[in-house]
Amino acid sequence: MTEPTLPTSSDASAPAPAAAAPAAGGDTRRQPKQERRERPAGQVPVLNSAMADALRAATKGHALEVAAAPAAPVEADAAPVQRQARSERPARTGQAPRRSNKPGNGARREGQGAGGGRGPRRDGGQAAPAAPKTPARPRHPVVEKLAGLYPALFGDQPLPLKRGVFQDLMAAHPDAFEKNELKVALGLHTRSTRYLNAVAMGQPRHDLQGQVVEAMAPEHVFHALVESFRRRKPRDGEDLQLKLRRRIGMAYIASDLSRDDFLAKVQVKDEATQALLAAAMQEVAEFDAKAEALATAHAASGKSVAEFADMYGMHPAAVERHLHRAAQTQAIAARPATAPAAPEAADEGDAAEPAAAKADDSAAAE
């Protein structure tokens, strides 16, 4: 193939090939706007003679050689026509005008008020209104009065009350409460779900000054747990029985009692609760067996907790829990056997408390 012939010095004044007009069939949109405007619609663009001669001289003998024949007709610039067609296209029936997403346009969505509510849907229907919230159940007027006097004890997050709080309230406010009304109000308060949750957490009992007076009895924690979970509604995929079983096991460990002493205090009667309690106690027994074996292995290893955990691929906190439980069970086993405690004297009005609400025997009429 012959070498391409370069332009001579006489052609130096001609524009370089890169700046030449596009070849036949090229896109004419790159031409200056003035030239496109001056060209009549549908006219075929013609190369300047000097530019065409320079381009043919530069590509002579090359595969991209420009022919001397007239350029093939090209279609007129269709881009402006397409843009015009889009601008003149009629809007679809029922479709809202396109909104601008540019910041600062200050335009609200059609159908959206100042409150930010949803407008009409695209299919022409109206969005379903939000379900109204269930109003809170009004509390007893005496309970509201107690909440004003003792917000820490009777507020939205109440604290467990001491035994004999009924007598303390009558002595502190002899003219403020009628005896029977106060008795009914305390019964409603101590059977409420909020109060049961506080007892189920194992919080101690408090006097009217908010001071801790005694620990919560294990049997009250257990019955509060059972009753509070009975009132709960499971969410999607939630296993309330599993959660309750674990909470019972944690309450048993926190009671610091032996298995026999804990079962003697709980006094379960219905079969469903008995089966649940038996399953929880079995899980704790399996945990205790692992804790005892781990404690024996740790003592024989002579290593620190961190070294022992690393050797067995365990987390140090898990090793600490097992060692603590093993020491606890050993201390409980070393205690002398205690006689069953006599039933405590009931406060005035305790007989009014239903059997299902054994979570707090101070309830209805303390």
Side-chain angles (χ1 to χ4, degrees), residues 5-8 11 14-15 17 20 47-60 65-68:
T5 305
L6 297 177
T8 61
D11 297 329
L47 293 177
N48 183 275
S49 59
M51 297 170 61
D53 293 342
L55 185 60
R56 281 194 296 271
T59 59
K60 186 177 180 181
E65 182 176 355
V66 178

Side-chain angles (χ1 to χ4, degrees), residues 31-285:
Q31 300 179 19
K33 296 182 179 179
Q34 183 177 2
E35 182 180 348
R36 290 204 305 269
R37 286 197 299 267
E38 294 175 354
R39 186 179 67 219
Q43 181 177 344
V44 178
V46 179
L47 293 177
N48 183 275
S49 59
M51 297 170 61
D53 293 342
L55 185 60
R56 281 194 296 271
T59 59
K60 186 177 180 181
H62 195 270
L64 298 177
E65 182 176 355
V66 178
V74 296
E75 296 181 358
D77 187 7
V81 180
Q82 293 175 357
R83 287 193 293 269
Q84 182 180 4
R86 285 198 299 267
S87 62
E88 297 178 355
R89 182 185 304 167
R92 286 180 290 180
T93 304
Q95 182 178 3
R98 181 172 298 179
R99 296 182 295 269
S100 173
N101 293 328
K102 294 182 179 180
N105 57 4
R108 280 200 182 100
R109 294 182 177 180
E110 292 79 0
Q112 181 173 349
R118 292 184 177 180
R121 299 185 304 188
R122 290 187 176 183
D123 57 3
Q126 293 293 330
K133 294 183 179 180
T134 304
R137 178 182 297 180
R139 295 198 292 180
H140 194 279
V142 177
V143 178
E144 291 287 354
K145 187 174 182 179
L146 290 171
L149 294 171
Y150 306 99
L153 298 178
F154 297 90
D156 292 336
Q157 296 180 347
L159 294 174
L161 302 172
K162 61 163 288 189
R163 305 169 193 265
V165 71
F166 172 80
Q167 287 80 5
D168 292 350
L169 286 170
M170 292 299 300
H173 309 278
D175 300 327
F177 301 105
E178 196 276 327
K179 184 176 181 180
N180 290 332
E181 288 186 355
L182 180 60
K183 189 181 301 184
V184 172
L186 286 176
L188 294 174
H189 174 69
T190 54
R191 295 186 189 99
S192 66
T193 302
R194 288 179 294 185
Y195 188 86
L196 290 177
N197 289 335
V199 176
M201 293 295 295
Q203 299 187 55
R205 295 183 180 273
H206 298 73
D207 59 13
L208 293 180
Q209 288 71 40
Q211 302 296 322
V212 176
V213 294
E214 64 175 323
M216 184 62 63
E219 58 269 28
H220 299 159
V221 176
F222 172 80
H223 289 292
L225 274 172
V226 174
E227 179 63 18
S228 62
F229 269 81
R230 185 189 67 81
R231 300 180 184 183
R232 288 178 59 177
K233 294 181 179 180
R235 301 175 182 175
D236 295 339
E238 187 179 20
D239 190 350
L240 292 181
Q241 293 294 315
L242 175 62
K243 290 185 176 182
L244 177 57
R245 192 166 65 244
R246 291 178 177 175
R247 289 285 300 275
I248 292 175
M250 293 170 61
Y252 163 51
I253 293 176
S255 69
D256 200 28
L257 295 173
S258 65
R259 177 188 177 92
D260 294 339
D261 291 343
F262 183 81
L263 293 177
K265 285 182 173 293
V266 169
Q267 294 292 326
V268 179
K269 295 181 179 180
D270 64 285
E271 296 181 358
T273 308
Q274 284 181 351
L276 191 66
L277 176 61
M281 300 297 285
Q282 179 61 31
E283 289 181 357
V284 176

